[in-house]
Amino acid sequence: MKILSANVPGLVARSVVGAAGGEWALAREGASRRLVALLPRDAPPIAELEGERAEHAGQVLVTGPASPRNAIALRKHLPWLRPAPIGLRTSAGFGDRLGLATPGHVRALRAAAPDVAPVFAQQSTREMTRTSRTPVQVLDDATWGAFEEGWTGGVGADADHLKEAGEIDACLEAGFTLFTIDPGGMVDAAGASAGREDLAWALTRVSWDRLETSLQALVARYVGQPFDIEGVHVSFDEDTVARVVIKYGAAVAHVAALYRHLCERADGRPFEVEVSVDETEAPTSHAEHVFVATELRRLGVKWVSLAPRFVGRFEKGVDYIGELEEFGRHLAGHAAIARALGPYKLSLHSGSDKFSLYGAVARETRGLVHLKTAGTSYLEALRVVAAMQPELFREIFWFACGRYEQD
């Protein structure tokens, strides 16, 4: 390739790729990245790129910073770096919170699961706030990391755990394509488990207008309408309906409102949605899953994946905590429901290092699964820090101890 003859210091050979009538590559000097592009004199990208220009091999050699402007140009002219909806393909979100790990993620993906669709940019507003990053920075870091490794297999970008309309707007503007709506703060598990007298009072607090239905309509829709598929039996009586709508009614209404906001703001741009109810104390029952999916569909919401709260404990960076047989039965029911009412994928949040579960998850979902993992990258980063800079590790350790009660 002509670009390799340009003698650019630190040019990463594996990053070289042809596009827009020329060649593109990344150069590294320590932690610093630079964009290198060798293009015909009349190539449109030349005017869009930020950097120095020089003559080489009868073309224009552009050398510029790894800036937001150049990242935009990369995604424009190298379409495989432009986030796009992934659909029902088996997929994994890597959640690089530091902006450094994407090259390693690409290598791991190629070595272990080349058929899995990757989401390299995956970050919640909460995580971005705490790491002082913006949606643009998260997406740009993932773009540069994938470009450095010569990844051409396409990517998604997940605006994770969205709770407010403003969060959607910021991530949509940056170029994210997967929007994980998280109404977990509106799940009322306590109200749903109340005694009969308190249950009647809790029903008066349900936002029936936002749900666009009534208790009578829900009873007519669910009671006496058993759900049977693949050995999973779900039925509702009036008490079950009341408790389910108290627990998840506000959450369903909130998802529908944010979905409609997203549709309006996207203005025809392609996107996909995940619904997340995993950050709650009580597991999501099969009946609750049926209710949430059925009501979201009635309200016009379209989603590609759903994250229930599974039984057991999912902690970042460690294996599953709980009974494997119980998890298997619980998962099988949710997977059957997702196939029957969708199909859509089940999403496994805090999926880092859940090695005891991966086989069952792949088998029961039949590949309709999205794995979210960020804890592993953090853990491996800490291993490196501990080995290379023990004093920094001690500082991190004591800082973490001081934050333990809050975090």
Side-chain angles (χ1 to χ4, degrees), residues 257-343:
L258 290 185
Y259 176 79
R260 291 167 181 173
H261 174 85
L262 175 58
C263 289
E264 180 181 346
R265 291 303 178 94
D267 193 26
R269 282 176 282 176
F271 68 86
E272 54 193 0
V273 165
E274 174 169 301
V275 178
S276 168
V277 292
D278 71 299
E279 292 195 354
T280 60
E281 288 298 322
T284 307
S285 71
H286 294 156
E288 290 166 347
H289 184 165
V290 170
F291 173 85
V292 168
T294 302
E295 295 308 299
L296 286 174
R297 186 170 56 189
R298 178 181 62 81
L299 292 170
V301 178
K302 296 179 181 179
W303 66 99
V304 72
S305 51
L306 184 143
R309 166 64 162 87
F310 292 108
V311 295
R313 285 175 57 193
F314 285 72
E315 303 291 349
K316 293 175 174 60
V318 297
D319 210 335
Y320 174 70
I321 302 170
E323 295 295 328
L324 293 179
E325 289 188 7
E326 181 186 16
F327 174 81
R329 291 191 297 269
H330 186 69
L331 170 69
H334 284 298
I337 293 167
R339 285 190 292 272
L341 298 185

Side-chain angles (χ1 to χ4, degrees), residues 3-357:
I3 200 169
L4 294 176
S5 67
N7 296 318
V8 176
L11 195 71
V12 180
R14 63 182 175 275
S15 71
V16 179
V17 65
E23 297 175 0
W24 305 66
L26 183 135
R28 255 196 181 278
E29 291 182 19
S32 177
R33 291 168 169 156
R34 288 179 299 144
L35 171 66
V36 182
L38 184 63
L39 298 161
R41 289 187 177 89
D42 58 351
I46 292 177
E48 302 169 19
L49 293 173
E50 177 182 7
E52 300 176 355
R53 288 150 174 77
E55 290 287 326
H56 177 75
Q59 295 181 297
V60 178
L61 181 69
V62 182
T63 306
S67 62
R69 176 175 166 179
N70 283 345
I72 290 172
L74 271 184
R75 291 191 289 267
K76 178 179 178 180
H77 297 289
L78 280 62
W80 50 86
L81 295 177
R82 189 185 314 142
I86 288 172
L88 295 180
R89 293 174 58 195
T90 304
S91 52
F94 291 88
D96 175 14
R97 293 178 183 165
L98 302 176
L100 304 171
T102 297
H105 290 157
V106 173
R107 295 176 208 166
L109 184 68
R110 282 176 169 153
D115 294 330
V116 169
V119 180
F120 296 127
Q122 171 198 295
Q123 208 93 144
S124 68
T125 300
R126 175 182 60 196
E127 290 159 353
M128 285 188 274
T129 299
R130 296 187 56 176
T131 55
S132 299
R133 301 171 78 201
T134 66
V136 170
Q137 287 173 319
V138 170
L139 187 58
D140 286 356
D141 286 337
T143 296
W144 292 112
F147 177 52
E148 178 177 347
E149 287 297 312
W151 178 259
T152 59
V155 296
D158 182 6
D160 203 8
H161 287 291
L162 298 165
K163 299 177 182 294
E164 304 293 341
E167 299 171 354
I168 289 176
D169 295 344
C171 293
L172 182 66
E173 180 66 24
F176 284 73
T177 52
L178 172 60
F179 296 83
T180 299
I181 299 176
D182 177 7
M186 298 186 175
V187 175
D188 185 4
S193 60
R196 286 196 171 276
E197 185 173 323
D198 290 333
L199 195 69
W201 178 76
L203 281 170
T204 66
R205 297 187 295 116
V206 173
S207 300
W208 297 109
D209 55 337
R210 296 185 67 212
L211 270 176
E212 301 174 20
T213 191
S214 65
L215 180 60
Q216 293 76 15
L218 289 178
V219 168
R221 194 150 55 242
Y222 290 96
V223 176
Q225 304 293 328
F227 177 92
D228 288 282
I229 184 170
E230 300 177 25
V232 178
H233 177 77
V234 177
S235 61
F236 295 82
D237 56 24
E238 292 189 17
D239 184 72
T240 302
V241 170
R243 294 182 186 279
V244 171
V245 73
I246 289 169
K247 183 176 180 180
Y248 283 108
V252 167
H254 189 60
V255 170
L258 290 185
Y259 176 79
R260 291 167 181 173
H261 174 85
L262 175 58
C263 289
E264 180 181 346
R265 291 303 178 94
D267 193 26
R269 282 176 282 176
F271 68 86
E272 54 193 0
V273 165
E274 174 169 301
V275 178
S276 168
V277 292
D278 71 299
E279 292 195 354
T280 60
E281 288 298 322
T284 307
S285 71
H286 294 156
E288 290 166 347
H289 184 165
V290 170
F291 173 85
V292 168
T294 302
E295 295 308 299
L296 286 174
R297 186 170 56 189
R298 178 181 62 81
L299 292 170
V301 178
K302 296 179 181 179
W303 66 99
V304 72
S305 51
L306 184 143
R309 166 64 162 87
F310 292 108
V311 295
R313 285 175 57 193
F314 285 72
E315 303 291 349
K316 293 175 174 60
V318 297
D319 210 335
Y320 174 70
I321 302 170
E323 295 295 328
L324 293 179
E325 289 188 7
E326 181 186 16
F327 174 81
R329 291 191 297 269
H330 186 69
L331 170 69
H334 284 298
I337 293 167
R339 285 190 292 272
L341 298 185
Y344 49 86
K345 295 184 285 191
L346 289 183
S347 190
L348 201 68
H349 289 205
S350 297
S352 311
D353 300 86
K354 303 301 181 289
F355 300 111
S356 63
L357 301 184

